[in-house]
Amino acid sequence: MKDTVILVVTGSVAAFKAAQLARRLMERGLLVKVAMTTAAERFITPLTFEALTGQPVLRAGFPQPGEAPMEHINFSRGARLVVIAPATANTMGKLAHGVADDSVLSMLLASGLPVMVAPAMNTQMYKHPAVQSNINTLAGRGVTFIGPSSGSLACGEEGEGKMEDAEVIAAAVMEKLGGEKDLAGVRLLVTTGGCQEPIDPVRYIGNRSSGKMGVAVAQVAAGRGAEVVLVAAHMETGLPEGMRVVRAHTAMEMQEAVRKEFAQCDILVMAAAVADYQVENPATGKVKKKNSMRLDLVETPDILAGVAMEKGGRVVVGFAAETEDHLASGRKKLMSKNLDLIVINDVSRGDIGFGSDYNEVTLLTRDGKKIEIARASKDMVAGEVLDQAATIWRDSRTVEQPEAS
Ligand code: PMT
């Protein structure tokens, strides 16, 4: 039986490319069912998609008496995923806020399916804080973004906001469908976010981690079939669904959570920015304002080094947040903390690392492999990290057969 995907077309000039996308997906053996917003119908007709796909199109208006009243619920049943292409700022905003004021948006909320989004709009619209905030909300809920790319836009301006090519979107859909199972049976423990160490009940010492990197690792792993537990400190992004999440706000809480979960995992990926120091005696009441204040800090336990010393057959992956001597410092952490793999990133750059949707990293393995990953989305980086960690884990489990005599 063919896998079914739902293609949601919204009101953008790029809607014509959705017809190419439907073809590309069908060429890859998928059954494609199209849903169209009212605005999409101003650019391309439902008849075009019905003729292309051989399937009835879900239109935005609510059913009239006598028409199937539950089509917005039934339409997506049995499908594997939804891809919204082109996705306008309007539809992304509605989806981010749970608005279901037509049949297509109701179908999206009722589908329970993984969602992929290929945005298309003017550069300034795309960069608008409201649109970026909606994108972050959706990404935090596990929505996968494909593009947009840069180029000349329909409005005549140049810049980011061009819908990705149909071929690129189709390849991403296939990867999501096909690459899902290679981590099935692998138990992954991931930490993310920034620890906050209390000074008193209202103040803390913290860091700039948003949690995006660790969430990307957790989501990509879950998408590839792994059983994931996420230990999350302070987050500037949403908590993902489809996995068990344990909250841990301080280094001590994170140590307790990691130690508790470590025995049941095969791979630990420690992407959290753990505080290196905590206040020795946090005040129980709010400290009154005065001219100056002195804090006594004591070192926190090194969670990663602690569990890695007793790792047995588990694979332990650390991140190294560096601003200088990246490779040498990263290599030192790899060896001194007894890690199998370290992911080194430059946290002095504004376009990657802390808070960014992108990262650029160097991977070092214990057996001397060095892999450079050029600036890419945190999802892509997560995929590479998982590939390496899974290879080390599988290799360590391969029992060498004695040669036949
Ligand atoms: O969250 P984002 O905004 O997406 O940003 C991602 C990131 C920059 C936080 C992430 O990519 C990253 O680099 N995480 C590691 C941050 C860090 O604490 O690096 P470190 O070099 O100080 O520590 C090395 C390793 O030891 C890390 O895996 C850390 O989790 C671990 N550690 C550190 C201190 C400590 N007391 N216990 C630990 O386990």
Side-chain angles (χ1 to χ4, degrees), residues 311 314-316 334 338-342 364-366 392:
K311 66 188 168 85
R314 294 172 197 85
V315 170
V316 177
L334 171 76
N338 195 33
L339 310 179
D340 298 285
L341 173 66
I342 194 143
L364 295 182
T365 67
R366 205 170 179 76
I392 299 169

Side-chain angles (χ1 to χ4, degrees), residues 41 81 121 135 148-149 163 170 201 229 235 265 285 329 353 375 377 387:
E41 291 194 26
L81 64 75
M121 68 198 74
I135 288 174
S149 57
M163 181 171 125
V229 176
M235 307 281 285
C265 84
S329 305
R375 185 175 181 273
S377 73
D387 285 349

Side-chain angles (χ1 to χ4, degrees), residues 51-318:
L52 277 174
T53 64
Q55 300 293 321
V57 168
L58 178 73
R59 299 174 67 182
F62 283 106
Q64 300 298 314
E67 291 177 355
M70 291 299 156
E71 199 45 18
H72 62 290
I73 306 292
N74 297 330
F75 189 76
S76 63
R77 296 295 178 254
R80 297 271 316 274
L81 64 75
V82 177
V83 54
I84 310 177
T88 56
N90 184 48
T91 296
M92 291 195 299
K94 286 183 172 179
L95 190 57
H97 294 280
V99 176
D101 60 357
D102 66 25
S103 291
V104 173
L105 285 154
S106 303
M107 180 275 293
L108 278 170
L109 293 193
S111 80
L113 295 171
V115 177
M116 304 182 83
V117 171
M121 68 198 74
N122 165 272
T123 306
Q124 293 310 321
M125 279 177 83
Y126 179 66
K127 289 189 172 161
H128 192 284
V131 173
Q132 287 300 314
S133 161
N134 290 334
I135 288 174
N136 280 337
T137 301
L138 293 171
R141 282 190 207 136
V143 169
T144 306
F145 282 85
I146 313 159
S149 57
S150 294
S152 69
L153 305 171
C155 56
E157 294 178 13
E158 287 272 335
E160 214 175 355
K162 196 174 155 73
M163 181 171 125
E164 269 297 2
D165 284 344
E167 195 61 39
V168 173
I169 301 172
V173 168
M174 293 315 289
E175 195 179 318
K176 185 124 185 129
L177 291 174
E180 267 175 353
K181 303 267 187 297
D182 71 314
L183 295 180
V186 180
R187 297 166 304 173
L188 216 92
L189 176 59
V190 183
T191 69
T192 195
C195 290
Q196 295 184 337
E197 302 300 330
I199 297 170
D200 66 16
V202 296
R203 304 176 179 99
Y204 59 83
I205 301 173
N207 61 61
R208 290 173 44 223
S209 170
S210 63
K212 288 180 183 176
M213 189 64 246
V215 165
V217 172
Q219 277 180 335
V220 171
R224 287 165 57 170
E227 190 187 313
V228 182
V229 176
L230 181 69
V231 178
H234 173 73
M235 307 281 285
E236 296 286 337
T237 187
L239 286 171
E241 289 167 9
M243 64 190 68
R244 190 153 63 81
V245 178
V246 180
R247 295 313 302 263
H249 301 284
T250 63
M252 295 307 285
E253 285 175 16
M254 185 163 279
Q255 183 189 44
E256 193 185 331
V258 169
R259 281 198 170 159
K260 197 163 155 208
E261 302 293 339
F262 189 63
Q264 289 83 248
C265 84
D266 300 308
I267 300 174
L268 165 66
V269 179
M270 194 89 189
V274 183
D276 289 317
Y277 297 95
Q278 59 189 345
V279 178
E280 189 168 21
N281 291 307
T284 50
K286 184 182 172 196
V287 177
K288 295 282 179 221
K289 190 167 177 267
K290 45 198 171 189
N291 281 346
S292 67
M293 183 179 180
R294 191 172 289 274
L295 289 176
D296 285 321
L297 303 179
V298 289
E299 219 181 338
T300 55
D302 193 313
I303 305 168
L304 189 58
V307 291
M309 293 307 162
E310 302 156 10
K311 66 188 168 85
R314 294 172 197 85
V315 170
V316 177
V317 182

